[in-house]
Amino acid sequence: MPNVTPEMYDSVMLMKQQMLVDSLNAAQTALNDSLHATNELMFKTRTELQITKDTLSNSSFKINNVWMMIATALVFIMHLGFATLESGLTQAKNTTNVLFKNSIVPAIGIMTHAICGFNFMYPGFEFGVSMDFIGFKGFGIELPEGGETAAYNGGMTYWTDFLFQAMFAATSATIVSGAVAERIRLMSFMVFSIIFTAFIYPIIGSWKWGWGWLNTIGFMDFAGSTLVHSVGGWAAMAGVILLGARQGKYEKGMIKPIQGHNMTSAVIGTFMLWLGWFGFNGGSVLSAEPGIVSRVLVMTCVSGSCGAIAAAFTIFSINKNFDLSMVLNGILAGLVGITAGADQMKILDATIIGLVSGSLVVGSVIMFDKLRLDDPVGALSVHLVCGIWGTLAVGLFGAKASGAQLLTQLTGVGAVAVAAFGSSFLIFLLIKYTIGLRVGKEEEIFGLDESEHYMEAYPNFMTK
């Protein structure tokens, strides 16, 4: 074995050290490359996840908005239901007049809501703290920044929101039409409808849905048992009182029934309204969230069904016959009754609400006749009485039931009664003493189709 000199040893050690350094550098380089690749992969993954999240969010927004547009269309079609129901339950000589009113009201409601109603309904009150009664964001509708995207609302665009709310405004005014049918001047009705949809309905609605004082105290009205139906019902009562009864309705202390001329039309109208309620209540979820939307629709149908059954057997127990018009109003009564709390109720709750609504509507129709308040289609009984019942039912049944909630519901019912009835009565009174409220006796006897329109709905069948 050769002798190893110190120089040789040092040289070998240096070589080993260099090899070790090179190995470490190579390992460091490989590690850096691996970390860089990992970072790039993580960045790419995060980007892809964000894109997926944005895509899903955008898809969800589109689905929500499509559902809200469908719901808007369903509420719009309710006007066809009102038109056919009201015309069927009134006399043939007034058919054109009833159809005209129900054709002009949606147009009035949409335009007044565009001019000022929408900004009275949503004036910008601060959620949860505002105790305001009235506010106004200005005339017209103007697209806010991001109004056509989810930045405005995760459930719909600004335009969809406006149109959905405009349908509700028009619906509330249509309730008045049936109660004052067959004797109100057409121009007077249109003047009232303009004022009602432009100011009365949206200002009262802002107390809850615009985050005003009723919302702050905890008042609950999911889709409008009070804010749509009772508001319209109180306005209708003011009109009925100031108009008086139709010719021949109450004579010598007797109540003379004035039969509707077309029950087929009335049935079609009722089922059109029931269909529309899928949008009225289902759309009030304000999104397409499947759990709550499906629950709301089931509770709505259960209550409407129970309303029909209760009305049928209630009127049978009184008159010993099954009155079709009462069954139709029973359906609507059950639908109105559940509207305030459809999102809070269970099956048993909806069943009870519907049964009570159906019985109430029969008793109410009889009561209003005894009070000599002539309501040709039962609008006061369906929309006012059952609207009040449905609102109070939120404090008695479902997830929000409690004594405190019932007191809050009573507060809301009372406040709306004073505001809606008081303002409507004043407006009808002003109309009565200015342009006149009621047609003349002869015009009423021959029919409003002839006096107001010079047009008969059934020219080949009507006799002079």
Side-chain angles (χ1 to χ4, degrees):
M1 180 177 180
N3 293 329
V4 178
T5 65
E7 291 78 6
M8 292 175 62
Y9 179 81
D10 290 341
S11 176
V12 170
M13 293 303 297
L14 286 172
M15 289 178 60
K16 289 183 177 181
Q17 289 176 1
Q18 186 60 47
M19 290 175 63
L20 180 61
V21 169
D22 291 344
S23 296
L24 291 172
N25 287 337
Q28 182 65 48
T29 300
L31 180 61
N32 289 338
D33 290 343
S34 178
L35 288 172
H36 180 70
T38 301
N39 287 335
E40 284 188 339
L41 180 60
M42 289 177 65
F43 178 78
K44 183 178 180 182
T45 302
R46 283 197 301 268
T47 302
E48 290 176 347
L49 286 173
Q50 186 61 47
I51 292 172
T52 302
K53 181 181 177 181
D54 292 343
T55 301
L56 290 173
S57 177
N58 190 45
S59 297
S60 177
F61 172 68
K62 288 179 178 178
I63 291 169
N64 287 335
N65 192 63
V66 167
W67 162 241
M68 290 307 300
M69 288 190 288
I70 292 171
T72 299
L74 288 170
V75 179
F76 177 78
I77 209 69
M78 292 176 79
H79 292 284
L80 177 58
F82 278 116
T84 51
L85 173 64
E86 289 176 19
S87 62
L89 292 179
T90 52
Q91 299 168 89
K93 63 184 180 181
N94 298 313
T95 301
T96 297
N97 181 258
V98 170
L99 295 176
F100 184 94
K101 288 189 296 178
N102 281 277
S103 298
I104 201 69
V105 162
I108 290 173
I110 290 170
M111 291 312 301
T112 55
H113 218 58
I115 293 168
C116 62
F118 188 66
N119 287 333
F120 272 118
M121 178 75 86
Y122 301 102
F125 294 149
E126 188 175 355
F127 178 78
V129 297
S130 173
M131 292 298 291
D132 293 320
F133 284 77
I134 187 170
F136 186 49
K137 287 178 68 176
F139 291 99
I141 51 173
E142 184 176 349
L143 185 70
E145 184 177 353
E148 294 181 337
T149 70
Y152 171 76
N153 183 312
M156 69 195 106
T157 68
Y158 173 81
W159 302 122
T160 303
D161 189 16
F162 161 75
L163 200 58
F164 183 67
Q165 300 303 331
M167 293 302 105
F168 274 59
T171 298
S172 192
T174 303
I175 293 167
V176 182
S177 170
V180 300
E182 303 199 286
R183 73 270 202 207
I184 193 170
R185 288 182 181 273
L186 180 58
M187 183 59 71
S188 300
F189 173 77
M190 289 193 290
V191 169
F192 175 80
S193 296
I194 290 169
I195 298 171
F196 180 83
T197 54
F199 303 105
I200 298 175
Y201 167 78
I203 290 173
I204 293 175
S206 73
W207 296 351
K208 167 60 183 178
W209 292 337
W211 299 347
W213 73 278
L214 277 182
N215 182 71
T216 301
I217 68 170
F219 178 74
M220 300 293 296
D221 191 356
F222 174 65
S225 285
T226 282
L227 298 177
V228 177
H229 296 284
S230 286
V231 168
W234 286 117
M237 177 174 279
V240 167
I241 291 171
L242 288 172
L243 275 168
R246 290 168 291 174
Q247 297 289 337
K249 175 66 175 177
Y250 307 116
E251 290 185 341
K252 299 178 181 179
M254 300 293 291
I255 301 171
K256 179 184 176 183
I258 300 177
Q259 297 290 335
H261 83 283
N262 191 332
M263 293 308 295
T264 301
S265 175
V267 169
I268 292 171
T270 300
F271 278 88
M272 291 299 296
L273 287 168
W274 195 342
L275 174 65
W277 241 282
F278 281 76
F280 199 92
N281 284 4
S284 293
V285 175
L286 304 181
S287 76
E289 200 285 314
I292 187 170
V293 171
S294 56
R295 182 169 72 250
V296 163
L297 296 185
V298 168
M299 301 310 155
T300 299
C301 286
V302 166
S303 185
S305 301
C306 289
I309 294 167
F313 286 97
T314 300
I315 193 61
F316 182 82
S317 68
I318 297 171
N319 292 341
K320 298 300 181 285
N321 65 72
F322 288 109
D323 186 326
L324 176 58
S325 64
M326 285 295 189
V327 171
L328 300 181
N329 276 335
I331 292 171
L332 300 178
L335 295 171
V336 170
I338 196 64
T339 293
D343 62 330
Q344 303 292 329
M345 303 302 169
K346 295 181 179 179
I347 290 292
L348 181 59
D349 303 321
T351 300
I352 296 171
I353 290 171
L355 291 173
V356 174
S357 297
S359 299
L360 267 179
V361 78
V362 174
S364 180
V365 167
I366 295 171
M367 176 192 72
F368 283 126
D369 259 343
K370 289 183 177 180
L371 293 173
R372 299 300 191 264
L373 294 177
D374 184 16
D375 177 5
V377 302
L380 297 179
S381 301
V382 170
H383 300 283
L384 176 55
V385 173
C386 291
I388 292 171
W389 157 243
T391 305
L392 298 179
V394 175
L396 298 171
F397 306 100
K400 295 289 184 179
S402 69
Q405 188 64 51
L406 181 59
L407 182 61
T408 301
Q409 299 301 101
L410 278 167
T411 301
V413 167
V416 169
V418 172
F421 179 80
S423 57
S424 298
F425 190 90
L426 178 61
I427 293 164
F428 274 126
L429 193 65
L430 290 172
I431 292 172
K432 181 176 181 177
Y433 289 108
T434 52
I435 63 176
L437 190 60
R438 182 167 179 155
V439 300
K441 181 176 180 180
E442 186 172 308
E443 293 174 287
E444 185 177 342
I445 290 172
F446 282 95
L448 275 64
D449 288 4
E450 185 172 304
S451 63
E452 296 274 20
H453 305 276
Y454 304 103
M455 179 187 297
E456 296 174 351
Y458 309 104
N460 298 322
F461 300 95
M462 293 288 288
T463 57
K464 298 294 184 181

